[in-house]
Amino acid sequence: LANQNFEVFLIEKDSLLGGNLRHIYYTLDGMDVQTFLDDMVEKVTSHPLVHVITDSAIVDHSGFKGNFKTDIAVGAEKKISTIEHGVIILATGGKEFKPYGNFLYGEDKRVVTQSELEMSIAKGNLPTFGRCVMVQCVGSRNEERPYCSRVCCATAVKNAIKLKGINPDCDVVVFY
């Protein structure tokens, strides 16, 4: 962006930038994701040609290549604003599957998702245990969701490595 002369409008439905990256604390190779995210948010929000509009939603869109108009509802009062622009990139985000009704998720506090486990590890509030069992592909590889998310296995490996780093005697078992 430094050498460009066009304005960028970043419309975010939440109050903070970062989306799902706010729930990832480290990569498989140990990178500190939250520091990376903070640095990127600082670069984006301090750039003079980038306009960040949070707590907003796109409500209408019209136009053609190079000449678009997008209406957004801004803030709690949902005040409508119109942005004129030449290009639009939509990043719709995603949500982690919460497997309610499977393997006692939501019924037993010991049953958590990989993201919830990562957060407990990162925040240092992991309970003491001698064995961790990770069950992969819960809620997928079926008629409703016949696909692989391509995220879970790497997340399981990085969490297993972190758990072994915290307690080398911990038994970590991964079922897939």
Side-chain angles (χ1 to χ4, degrees), residues 9 11 57-73 80-91:
F9 293 90
I11 311 305
I58 295 174
V59 294
D60 194 23
H61 176 74
S62 63
F64 51 90
K65 184 168 94 174
N67 189 18
F68 294 107
K69 289 185 181 180
T70 300
D71 292 339
I72 58 172
I80 303 296
S81 294
T82 301
I83 299 171
E84 295 183 15
H85 54 93
V87 176
I88 188 168
I89 299 171
L90 292 176

Side-chain angles (χ1 to χ4, degrees), residues 2 10 15 37-38 78 92 96 106 118 124 144 146 161-162 166:
L10 180 54
S15 60
L37 175 59
D38 291 344
K78 302 296 181 202
T92 60
E96 177 185 43
E118 181 175 340
E144 185 181 355
I161 290 169
K162 285 286 189 178
I166 293 167

Side-chain angles (χ1 to χ4, degrees), residues 41-68:
V41 168
E42 174 59 29
K43 286 178 185 177
V44 167
T45 57
S46 66
H47 195 284
L49 295 177
V50 176
H51 308 283
V52 177
I53 305 170
T54 57
D55 294 315
S56 300
I58 295 174
V59 294
D60 194 23
H61 176 74
S62 63
F64 51 90
K65 184 168 94 174
N67 189 18
F68 294 107

